[in-house]
Amino acid sequence: MQIIDAANLDYRAVNEALRGTGSDYLIEGCLGQRFIAAGMSDKNLTINGIPGNALGAYLNNANITVNANAQDAVGDTMNEGKILIHGNVGDTAGYGMRGGKIFVQGNAGYRAGIHMKAYKEKIPVMIIGGHAGSFLGEYQAGGVIIILGLHKDSKPIVGNFPCTGMHGGKVFLRGTCEDIHFPKQVTARHADTKELEEIRKYLAEYCSDFGYSADELLSEPFTVITPDSKNPYKQMYIAN
Amino acid sequence: MKIEGQVRIPSGCAISAAISKDGNKMSGEMIINSIKPMHDRSNGLGGGFAGYGIYPEYKEFYALHMFFDSRETRKECEAFLKERFEIVHSEVIPTRKIPAITAEPIIWRYFAAPLKSVLVSLQLEEKEFVAKTVMKINAEMPGAYVFSSGKNMGAFKAVGFPEDVGVFYKLEEYEGYSWTAHGRYPTNTPGWWGGAHPFTLLDYSVVHNGEISSYDANRRFIEMFGYKCTLQTDTEVITYIMDYLLRVQELTLGETASVIAAPFWSTIAAKTDLNAQKKHTYLRTMFPSLLITGPFSIVFGFEGGLMALNDRLKLRSMVVGEKDDKIFIASEEAAIRSMEPNAENIWSPAGGEPVIVNVKEGAF
């Protein structure tokens, strides 16, 4: 384990230190440095302090653990690997993510999972323990987003306009979500046994990371949202 | 070279703020530190600060902070001011010569009170008179620019990175109960001293991260009421909208937020609280031209408080935290942690959800 004291380093210097030959790193005193571990592979990184925006952007099979909150655009366009956040994430977590996992113990800001996509064996997975802000899964094209609502602080599990522009992938919200308004172009229904089996392996991993019980989580109903292929989004902005 | 207001270049920023609800004074050094971890959000073309409670010895007087392009302009402007104001004190604003800040204009401040005889003859209320005078100088007196005009508060701004601007203006020598800060990345204009944030009018100040798309619609409407947008920059129009809604129309801060970041009609229609539904419908109907669209996160400063607000779609980031008597607001949590490493209850307000912080009555 190599230790990087980030106190007086800018983001270039932090990333330069991370590009060393070692595989296990600990960043201490992180305070807003952007692009940490961008595009990196084969590293195990733990961060103490607050990482800046675009943590793990283009991540290519590295593991990042943050012992606090993270800011905006965590895992922007990440390809492979895993980002584990023991706190909240800001806006646009998993922006354009196309592989790997983002597991968040706390809440997510606006536009979590915007434009996530999937291709063959590449299926990105994002799990948020608390609640998510408005525009969850906006323009989602693939992958799996799961919101658990474990600690909502009396807020709804998701804000306004969830799944706007969705045309692929799945969103799972724990609970029946009767008071949540979804757009007409998506279908929200109770997740069936097969779908719950699909997400069990992800939830089991999440629970082992954060110390919850997957069986307990799955004992409550989940709502699954998918695009309505009979009534897809078209001509959202212009007639073309 | 063409100056700001003559050029338009069709792109981000950093904001931060701290306030003590008990009115406890904080040195300007803290707010400078807050902006450092957000260095990369700015590009060196503007930085600025507003401090409240910084001029207790002159708190009854309007503190006019001014830029001049030459000694002659200053003399001319002072003659103009003396016909309208009693100036109790005037001086160069103390600055430090540092390599990072160059090409500074002449920077003065005047502590002044409008002459009673002038107010009587014009039949104007004091604040209205001061606002009109600021508009007149900024629009009609080339080379002179009022960049701060409130009582017991002041804006300090320049072209440069904000942390350097703070050093330039010796902000560590000031103490205020409330501070805001801005790092600029000018998007539509080239970046001149006057165009740095905060934008101010009377005791109102705005720091803004974003780029509003309703600028011209808002400008056309607000200019009908005597405001003059001289710099083509969106923050200027936001400042005048705030002044119009709060001071002229006497709306509350919450109502003002509901006008400029009004919910979607569909969100209003879905409200279960019928009074709230009625209120939002009324405000959107009354002031449709003051809806601000496009991305913004602002911190609005005023005597005795702050309001933070995001656009209704929340296209910019904003984080709030607290510790003891203090509330912190910033574009990034890192900025808050640099002011108070042990800040608690870090949260992000929703789009259009105002965060209003008032200092205890009598404590400012």
Side-chain angles (χ1 to χ4, degrees):
Chain A
M1 172 84 72
Q2 300 186 39
I3 297 172
I4 300 170
D5 178 4
N8 292 306
L9 302 182
D10 69 0
Y11 72 86
R12 286 182 196 86
V14 171
N15 270 339
E16 202 51 50
L18 277 177
R19 279 189 210 102
T21 48
S23 61
D24 296 302
Y25 288 88
L26 170 70
I27 299 180
E28 289 283 6
C30 196
L31 190 68
Q33 288 90 347
R34 297 177 173 196
F35 312 125
I36 290 179
M40 288 187 191
S41 316
D42 308 320
K43 303 272 181 194
N44 293 304
L45 168 63
T46 302
I47 299 174
N48 288 328
I50 307 293
N53 295 354
L55 167 72
Y58 304 99
L59 196 71
N60 198 17
N61 200 20
N63 293 309
I64 301 176
T65 301
V66 178
N67 291 320
N69 297 334
Q71 296 188 164
D72 296 337
V74 169
D76 184 344
T77 326
M78 78 185 269
N79 182 47
E80 213 176 325
K82 183 171 172 184
I83 303 178
L84 201 68
I85 313 278
H86 291 268
N88 302 327
V89 288
D91 296 339
T92 63
Y95 188 154
M97 184 183 179
R98 60 184 202 181
K101 293 169 189 145
I102 298 177
F103 288 0
V104 178
Q105 190 166 23
N107 307 315
Y110 271 47
R111 297 186 171 78
I114 178 172
H115 224 308
M116 263 170 88
K117 53 198 125 182
Y119 181 69
K120 291 184 179 172
E121 76 288 354
K122 288 266 187 209
I123 300 171
V125 179
M126 177 155 63
I127 306 182
I128 310 293
H131 57 81
S134 297
F135 301 103
L136 172 73
E138 196 177 28
Y139 308 115
Q140 188 184 356
V144 177
I145 300 173
I146 305 172
I147 313 293
L148 297 174
L150 289 169
H151 30 79
K152 294 190 293 184
D153 322 315
S154 76
K155 290 191 174 170
I157 191 167
V158 61
N160 293 330
F161 312 113
C163 307
T164 302
M166 182 184 202
H167 52 281
K170 283 179 182 164
V171 172
F172 292 84
L173 305 175
R174 200 167 66 109
T176 52
C177 300
E178 275 147 9
D179 49 353
I180 293 170
H181 178 76
F182 294 97
K184 288 198 283 283
Q185 293 87 344
V186 302
T187 307
R189 54 182 167 74
H190 286 298
D192 60 28
T193 323
K194 188 167 157 272
E195 283 163 329
L196 292 178
E197 271 321 298
E198 256 174 58
I199 61 169
R200 177 179 283 276
K201 60 179 182 293
Y202 306 133
L203 287 177
E205 184 179 336
Y206 181 93
C207 288
S208 106
D209 288 333
F210 292 117
Y212 301 116
S213 150
D215 286 333
E216 218 171 283
L217 290 181
L218 283 163
S219 69
E220 275 196 49
F222 275 74
T223 303
V224 59
I225 302 104
T226 51
D228 181 355
S229 53
K230 292 192 194 69
N231 176 33
Y233 275 100
K234 56 184 178 188
Q235 297 183 347
M236 254 185 100
Y237 299 112
I238 48 161
N240 57 359
Chain B
M1 185 196 132
K2 291 191 171 177
I3 63 161
E4 186 153 4
Q6 298 171 327
V7 189
R8 189 168 168 85
I9 308 168
S11 128
C13 292
I15 58 174
S16 68
I19 184 167
S20 162
K21 289 188 282 187
D22 293 341
N24 292 326
K25 294 290 180 80
M26 300 167 273
S27 136
E29 198 173 0
M30 184 173 89
I31 197 80
I32 298 175
N33 288 336
S34 77
I35 209 87
K36 286 179 186 168
M38 302 192 292
H39 177 86
D40 297 318
R41 299 181 75 97
S42 331
N43 68 351
L45 289 179
F49 302 84
Y52 288 82
I54 59 169
Y55 294 135
E57 65 276 36
Y58 293 110
K59 66 177 185 207
E60 305 304 325
F61 298 91
Y62 292 91
L64 304 176
H65 289 192
M66 297 199 59
F67 294 137
F68 301 109
D69 63 351
S70 69
R71 186 169 178 275
E72 292 68 43
T73 308
R74 176 172 67 81
K75 290 285 175 199
E76 203 180 303
C77 187
E78 283 177 0
F80 170 87
L81 285 175
K82 278 175 187 158
E83 286 172 7
R84 290 158 179 83
F85 289 85
E86 181 203 359
I87 299 173
V88 295
H89 186 64
S90 64
E91 62 183 357
V92 169
I93 296 184
T95 55
R96 259 187 200 101
K97 283 276 175 197
I98 54 172
I101 306 289
T102 55
E104 69 262 37
I106 298 165
I107 312 169
W108 277 63
R109 65 185 160 208
Y110 303 87
F111 296 97
L115 294 172
K116 289 279 179 300
S117 55
V118 175
L119 294 180
V120 170
S121 80
L122 291 173
Q123 301 193 48
L124 283 178
E125 186 263 333
E126 191 181 280
K127 282 188 167 179
E128 179 66 15
F129 172 75
V130 175
K132 275 187 186 307
T133 307
V134 171
M135 292 294 152
K136 193 172 169 62
I137 294 171
N138 291 354
E140 295 173 17
M141 207 174 283
Y145 188 80
V146 184
F147 66 97
S148 190
S149 54
K151 286 180 179 176
N152 200 13
M153 62 78 69
F156 302 89
K157 58 194 201 177
V159 171
F161 280 101
E163 57 272 29
D164 298 325
V165 174
V167 172
F168 174 78
Y169 279 109
K170 305 186 173 183
L171 288 191
E172 75 281 0
E173 293 178 4
Y174 296 83
E175 291 206 310
Y177 61 80
S178 164
W179 287 95
T180 66
H182 185 261
R184 191 172 189 215
Y185 193 132
T187 49
N188 295 295
T189 55
W192 168 66
W193 286 57
H197 302 204
F199 273 86
T200 68
L201 184 63
L202 300 167
D203 62 305
Y204 298 148
S205 68
V206 176
V207 289
H208 164 221
N209 166 24
E211 188 192 7
I212 66 176
S213 45
S214 54
Y215 171 74
D216 257 323
N218 301 145
R219 181 189 58 78
R220 279 197 296 273
F221 184 81
I222 205 75
E223 286 195 338
M224 293 197 291
F225 303 98
Y227 297 93
K228 294 189 176 71
C229 298
T230 56
L231 294 177
Q232 296 192 20
T233 177
D234 44 8
T235 314
E236 184 183 30
V237 81
I238 298 175
T239 310
Y240 299 158
I241 289 172
M242 296 303 285
D243 180 64
Y244 175 71
L245 291 174
L246 291 167
R247 184 175 61 85
V248 181
Q249 291 291 336
E250 298 181 349
L251 264 54
T252 63
L253 285 163
E255 289 162 351
T256 300
S258 303
V259 170
I260 66 175
F264 286 92
W265 286 117
S266 63
T267 310
I268 294 176
K271 283 197 186 295
T272 46
D273 177 344
L274 294 183
N275 274 332
Q277 190 182 56
K278 213 167 144 185
K279 188 188 79 179
H280 282 288
T281 306
Y282 176 80
L283 290 170
R284 273 204 79 166
T285 312
M286 275 300 288
F287 304 106
S289 299
L290 295 181
L291 171 67
I292 299 177
T293 59
F296 67 85
S297 65
I298 58 172
V299 177
F300 172 71
F302 56 93
E303 188 184 14
L306 291 176
M307 177 172 81
L309 184 68
N310 262 125
D311 66 270
R312 56 189 184 164
L313 291 172
K314 199 176 187 292
L315 294 162
R316 288 293 180 271
S317 49
M318 168 129 51
V319 187
V320 180
E322 60 187 302
K323 180 73 184 167
D324 304 326
D325 61 315
K326 295 188 180 65
I327 304 284
F328 305 95
I329 302 159
S331 304
E332 298 184 17
E333 183 176 339
I336 294 177
R337 297 277 172 207
S338 70
M339 292 189 271
E340 176 52 68
N342 302 313
E344 297 158 353
N345 303 328
I346 301 276
W347 65 288
S348 300
E353 175 189 3
V355 178
I356 299 166
V357 189
N358 286 301
V359 178
K360 269 196 320 219
E361 203 55 49
F364 59 89

